[in-house]
């Protein structure tokens, strides 16, 4: 990445022309299901995946602040993430900008926030942004490279591990909790909350205010996969959520060894599971999520407007019909990353 110092504020980096050229799922694009996660994850047989990240850069002066902004911007551009003119919630910060996908008009990727004294800069990366990182050959190494010259502190990180065998499901987590396997060596037993909704069951172990929490939920149902899909009942996600404290910082090494920190948080629960679990594949998960959403929406479209489309086909081409009715969701637009598409 370039070391060029940029002292101007972040600007909007996306033009309408680029939006039109890079929109996902246009005609002529096909899914590249052969694409997979980045070489580092595969070569090291890492089974869990970073699913959310908040880091802070503590700069000594305005020059370091400008360097940090420039390098972050270069990294985001490689990931096809743009810095927008929209403002995030600025609690504890003076300035900020939301991050969106280059390839999708509305796809939240996180935010950048900074103090007016140019000493503190915070980068938040959502699950979608982390998916792009987990598929990119550079992985988190650009962030680690920045840390060699500018102190970087992880404030929060989520690490997700999946089971699709059905063995390490909600019942497994419940039994392990009842047996005390989630208990710390000292202190009170962690709190547990069970939630049931239309998108499946979830179990929260530990307080949201504590520095460590485990969330176990039915991922196949949350994605609204078809009920006859093999992962509908069997896909369970175990998600570790860590928050830094002044007396318990999160080392940057966690980005390179997420499995070690995952199992180390609850060794009596996950030591055996991590040995037999299949590595998560963000590519397949992304395709499954978008495919499920598309299938459901197409079913609704056929039921509500199928007869209208049949009428339109009598006097219009397919391309004309799509151009007439397509629109982007103003709040959330699910999409496959451009890395999964090719002309």
């Amino acid at each position: 990445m370039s070391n060029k110092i940029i002292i101007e504020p972040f600007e909007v980096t996306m033009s309408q022309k680029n939006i039109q050229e890079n929109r996902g799922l246009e005609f002529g694009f096909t899914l590249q299901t052969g694409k997979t996660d980045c070489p580092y994850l595969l070569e090291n047989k890492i089974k869990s995946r970073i699913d959310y990240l908040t880091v802070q850069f503590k700069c000594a002066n305005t020059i370091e602040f400008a360097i940090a902004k420039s390098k972050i911007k270069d990294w985001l551009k490689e990931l096809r993430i743009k810095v927008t003119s929209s403002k995030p919630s600025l609690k504890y910060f003076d300035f900020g900008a939301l991050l969106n996908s280059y390839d999708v008009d509305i796809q939240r990727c996180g935010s950048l926030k900074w103090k007016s004294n140019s000493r503190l800069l915070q980068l938040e990366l959502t699950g979608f942004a982390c998916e792009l990182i987990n598929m990119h050959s550079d992985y988190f190494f650009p962030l680690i490279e920045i840390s060699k010259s500018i102190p970087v502190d992880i404030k929060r990180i989520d690490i997700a591990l999946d089971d699709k065998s059905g063995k390490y499901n909600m019942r497994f987590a419940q039994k392990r909790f009842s047996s005390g396997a989630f208990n710390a060596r000292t202190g009170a037993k962690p709190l547990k909350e069970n939630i049931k909704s239309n998108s499946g069951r979830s179990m929260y172990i530990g307080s949201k205010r504590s520095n460590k929490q485990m969330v176990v939920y039915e991922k196949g149902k949350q994605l609204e996969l078809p009920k006859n899909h093999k992962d509908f009942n069997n896909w369970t996600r175990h998600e570790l959520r860590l928050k830094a404290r002044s007396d318990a910082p999160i080392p940057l090494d966690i980005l390179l060894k997420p499995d070690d920190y995952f199992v180390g948080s609850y060794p009596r629960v996950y030591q055996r599971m991590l040995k037999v679990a299949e590595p998560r594949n963000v590519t397949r998960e992304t395709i499954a999520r978008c495919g499920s959403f598309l299938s459901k929406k197409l079913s609704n479209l056929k039921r509500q407007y199928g007869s209208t489309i049949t009428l339109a086909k009598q006097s219009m081409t397919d391309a004309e019909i799509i151009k007439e009715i397509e629109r982007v969701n103003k709040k959330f637009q699910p999409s496959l990353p451009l890395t999964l598409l090719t002309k």
Side-chain angles (χ1 to χ4, degrees):
M1 296 186 299
S2 172
N3 290 325
K4 181 180 177 182
I5 297 176
I6 298 177
I7 60 174
E8 292 83 11
F10 283 109
E11 74 276 12
V12 179
T13 59
M14 192 63 175
S15 67
Q16 185 64 29
K17 179 177 183 294
N18 286 336
I19 291 175
Q20 294 301 324
E21 289 179 349
N22 295 316
R23 291 174 72 180
L25 296 178
E26 284 190 350
F27 291 109
F29 285 84
T30 56
L31 288 178
Q32 292 302 292
T33 55
K35 289 183 181 290
T36 184
D37 297 333
C38 75
Y40 177 80
L41 294 171
L42 297 176
E43 292 168 4
N44 291 277
K45 300 180 180 180
I46 296 173
K47 299 180 179 182
S48 61
R49 295 291 182 268
I50 308 299
D51 204 46
Y52 179 92
L53 181 68
T54 299
V55 294
Q56 291 184 349
F57 304 82
K58 296 183 177 180
C59 307
N61 49 54
T62 55
I63 294 178
E64 280 195 358
F65 182 75
I67 292 173
K69 286 202 301 182
S70 176
K71 290 188 174 183
I72 292 169
K73 182 179 175 182
D74 288 342
W75 183 35
L76 293 175
K77 189 173 182 180
E78 284 291 319
L79 297 168
R80 300 200 59 75
I81 295 175
K82 63 177 177 176
V83 181
T84 75
S85 58
S86 301
K87 305 298 181 184
S89 172
L90 292 175
K91 187 177 182 180
Y92 307 124
F93 290 88
D94 302 310
F95 306 101
L98 288 174
L99 306 178
N100 281 1
S101 167
Y102 265 91
D103 307 315
V104 190
D105 290 347
I106 305 295
Q107 179 63 70
R108 302 301 182 212
C109 294
S111 65
L112 274 168
K113 303 175 184 178
W114 59 93
K115 295 275 192 177
S116 58
N117 61 8
S118 299
R119 295 296 179 89
L120 185 65
L121 176 64
Q122 178 170 292
L123 172 65
E124 176 194 9
L125 298 170
T126 64
F128 184 84
C130 288
E131 287 178 359
L132 298 177
I133 294 170
N134 287 323
M135 289 188 287
H136 197 280
S137 59
D138 287 343
Y139 190 50
F140 283 99
F141 291 109
L143 179 59
I144 295 172
E145 187 64 27
I146 295 174
S147 71
K148 294 179 180 179
S149 56
I150 300 172
V152 178
D153 291 340
I154 295 177
K155 305 305 292 183
R156 176 186 160 181
I157 188 170
D158 294 358
I159 305 175
L161 179 69
D162 288 349
D163 172 63
K164 294 186 178 181
S165 69
K167 182 177 180 181
Y168 300 96
N169 54 15
M170 301 294 295
R171 180 176 174 80
F172 162 81
Q174 178 64 59
K175 290 175 66 175
R176 299 304 288 158
F177 179 85
S178 299
S179 69
F182 280 99
N183 296 0
R185 292 184 178 180
T186 59
K189 186 175 182 179
L191 300 174
K192 179 174 72 70
E193 181 181 9
N194 293 315
I195 297 177
K196 188 174 183 180
S197 67
N198 293 334
S199 58
R201 295 175 295 166
S202 301
M203 180 187 301
Y204 292 80
I205 301 171
S207 170
K208 292 182 178 180
R209 294 185 295 272
S210 67
N211 67 321
K212 181 174 71 172
Q213 184 184 47
M214 178 62 66
V215 183
V216 185
Y217 58 98
E218 296 176 306
K219 187 64 178 179
K221 295 180 181 178
Q222 188 235 12
L223 290 178
E224 298 183 332
L225 297 177
K227 292 185 177 181
N228 60 352
H229 193 284
K230 61 183 179 64
D231 292 331
F232 179 77
N233 287 312
N234 292 333
W235 188 351
T236 304
R237 172 159 294 178
H238 301 252
E239 188 170 286
L240 173 66
R241 299 177 179 178
L242 298 176
K243 295 179 182 178
R245 294 190 319 216
S246 57
D247 61 340
I250 301 173
L252 208 60
D253 189 51
I254 196 172
L255 299 175
L256 302 180
K257 301 177 181 178
D259 284 3
D260 294 353
Y261 288 87
F262 188 97
V263 71
S265 295
Y266 300 98
R268 290 187 291 167
V269 182
Y270 292 109
Q271 196 164 32
R272 180 177 297 177
M273 175 183 170
L274 200 58
K275 290 180 180 179
V276 300
E278 292 185 9
R280 279 190 57 196
N281 187 301
V282 177
T283 302
R284 288 196 296 267
E285 291 174 20
T286 304
I287 293 172
R289 182 186 68 241
C290 292
S292 174
F293 182 89
L294 178 61
S295 178
K296 181 178 179 181
K297 291 298 182 181
L298 287 176
S299 178
N300 293 339
L301 179 65
K302 180 178 180 179
R303 183 173 62 253
Q304 297 178 20
Y305 303 107
S307 59
T308 301
I309 293 175
T310 299
L311 176 62
K313 289 181 68 175
Q314 296 177 8
S315 57
M316 302 171 66
T317 66
D318 291 351
E320 289 172 338
I321 294 172
I322 291 175
K323 183 178 180 180
E324 187 70 24
I325 66 176
E326 71 173 343
R327 69 175 180 86
V328 175
N329 192 319
K330 293 182 178 180
K331 294 184 178 180
F332 174 72
Q333 180 63 44
S335 174
L336 294 161
L338 197 65
T339 53
L340 300 183
L341 305 169
T342 185
K343 278 189 176 180

